[in-house]
Amino acid sequence: MSDHTAVKAALRAQHIETPSWAFGNSGTRFKVFAQEGIPRDAYEKIDDAATVHRFTGVAPSVAVHIPWDKVADYADLARYARDAGVRIGAVNPNVFQDDDYRLGSVCNPDPAVRRKAVDHLLECIDIMNVTGSRELSVWLADGLNYPGQDSIADRQARLEEALAAVYERLGEHQRMLLEYKFFEPAFYATDVPDWGTSYAHCLELGPKAQVLVDTGHHAPGTNIEFIVAFLLRKGRLGGFHFNSRFYADDDLMVGAADPYQLFRIMVEIVLGGGLEASAGVAFMLDQCHNIEPKIPALIRSVLNVQEATAKALLVDTEALRTAQREGDVLGANAVLVDAFSTDVRPLLAQLREEMGLDPDPVAAYHRSGHAEKVRAERVGGAAAGWGA
């Protein structure tokens, strides 16, 4: 796609979801560095998500994490979000921070613990029903640290049973996105360790179950764009949790570690029709901003996804297909390199001006005085996040 009008239309239509937990204090198992102006509840997280959308124009939804974002009235939270100019996106259950889950949640050998975990997943569907959310985003920390600790096969059977119970409760326009992660917190075996395991479970469940690809959840050197192309072709790519990693699940800003990888992923999305609304691919961020200010980091992350998408849209697909048909290895590769090397910032600046936005969202945010305002207002109470 080389027509800039078409490129801008595709970029205007792409929506990138922010995660509520990225606005809170976060860190590593060693230390959480507290910041000033951090939201103290789900409502203030909504305010911050709305701020990101106000400066970028393409982040109209915010994912919530339960019970981190637990409120007394979820309908009221949804109304608050709409009034702020955003909506509640994916609902993320938390079945990994309770002491009962030491040996797993839905794969735990204790049926009472498994029931507790399934009940929480079903509770999250109830929250979806109230808020209008369409995605249940499931990541399970279940796994084993030592050989012989539990039966790998039995745990898969328990997983199947739990997922089936949750799937049965999904509404007509709802879906389950099953995330995978190759290790951590489990170190010997994780119960959903890779895209193949997630894909197999989704196939067994039905069409409302799709794979969620977290870009930081792979072994070093994994060809993520292959996974994306395969799942998209099979109609099972539910969405992304975008972030960057240097070593493991670093949860750094997307595009910070390897922008060329992000571009390659978006090329497969564009070539496979993944930007079309009918494809249903959810573009979501999943990041923890440990030392950098939260809102500017999320604005920058949205811009990074936009830039990678813009470059992917500029790939000369006709030249690429011709080179591929003719076996021109270097020529085909050069088509991608040329697109990646294109400076798309002027194009994106023009797009933002056409949308009534500042062409430089990060600079506009810093000029707005918003950071100083929330630091002054959010005094007292407990900041959202977790301690270490």
Side-chain angles (χ1 to χ4, degrees), residues 52-105:
V52 173
H53 181 48
R54 187 165 68 252
F55 284 97
T56 64
V58 293
S61 61
V62 53
V64 295
H65 214 297
I66 308 300
W68 295 344
D69 295 318
K70 188 172 184 177
V71 295
D73 186 342
Y74 289 101
D76 182 67
L77 185 68
R79 282 192 297 271
Y80 187 87
R82 289 193 297 271
D83 290 344
V86 293
R87 64 174 179 83
I88 303 297
V91 175
N92 293 254
N94 184 325
V95 286
F96 53 86
Q97 279 193 310
D98 192 296
D99 285 345
D100 284 343
Y101 300 141
R102 183 172 63 91
L103 299 179
S105 61

Side-chain angles (χ1 to χ4, degrees), residues 116-148:
K116 175 179 177 176
V118 170
D119 285 346
H120 176 60
L121 295 171
L122 297 177
E123 175 196 8
C124 287
I125 294 179
D126 292 338
I127 294 170
M128 293 168 64
N129 294 336
V130 173
T131 60
S133 170
R134 296 185 292 270
E135 287 88 24
L136 180 71
S137 179
V138 179
W139 173 68
L140 302 170
D142 295 41
L144 306 172
N145 274 6
Y146 296 97

Side-chain angles (χ1 to χ4, degrees), residues 160-365:
E160 288 177 7
E161 182 181 3
L163 292 177
V166 175
Y167 186 87
E168 187 178 356
R169 281 280 293 275
L170 291 172
E172 182 181 357
H173 300 294
Q174 296 172 342
R175 57 179 174 160
M176 177 196 303
L177 305 183
L178 183 58
E179 193 171 355
Y180 58 91
K181 185 179 181 182
F182 79 112
F183 88 107
E184 195 186 40
F187 293 102
Y188 167 62
T190 299
D191 291 311
V192 188
D194 52 42
W195 70 272
T197 305
S198 176
Y199 177 62
H201 282 290
C202 289
L203 283 181
E204 187 167 331
L205 289 167
K208 290 188 288 187
Q210 296 177 300
V211 180
L212 178 59
V213 177
D214 185 306
T215 51
H217 284 190
H218 303 84
T222 299
N223 188 325
I224 301 175
E225 56 266 34
F226 171 86
I227 299 169
V228 169
F230 181 93
L231 292 174
L232 188 58
R233 181 173 175 269
K234 295 293 185 179
R236 292 289 176 160
L237 179 62
F240 291 94
H241 272 178
F242 280 129
N243 51 61
S244 280
R245 49 79 61 89
F246 288 101
Y247 298 104
D249 185 25
D250 302 347
D251 273 349
L252 300 174
M253 290 189 302
V254 59
D258 188 353
Y260 189 47
Q261 180 192 63
L262 180 59
F263 162 76
R264 298 193 310 266
I265 290 170
M266 293 312 305
V267 166
E268 296 304 327
I269 287 292
V270 170
L271 294 178
L275 288 183
E276 301 296 328
S278 59
V281 178
F283 300 99
M284 302 176 283
L285 303 177
D286 180 8
Q287 304 176 166
C288 292
H289 304 292
N290 304 339
I291 58 175
E292 65 270 28
K294 318 294 182 180
I295 293 177
L298 284 161
I299 293 174
R300 169 52 61 193
S301 299
V302 171
L303 304 190
N304 287 349
V305 175
Q306 278 191 305
E307 289 186 15
T309 305
K311 292 180 178 185
L313 288 165
L314 290 175
V315 169
D316 187 336
T317 53
E318 184 177 344
L320 179 65
R321 297 304 189 195
T322 298
Q324 290 171 341
R325 284 194 303 269
E326 295 177 354
D328 184 355
V329 176
L330 294 179
N333 176 249
V335 172
L336 295 189
V337 173
D338 286 347
F340 178 70
S341 301
T342 303
D343 184 359
V344 296
R345 289 174 297 179
L347 172 65
L348 287 166
Q350 184 182 60
L351 170 64
R352 292 180 190 119
E353 288 179 328
E354 292 172 1
M355 295 172 65
L357 302 169
D358 190 288
D360 187 342
V362 174
Y365 174 77

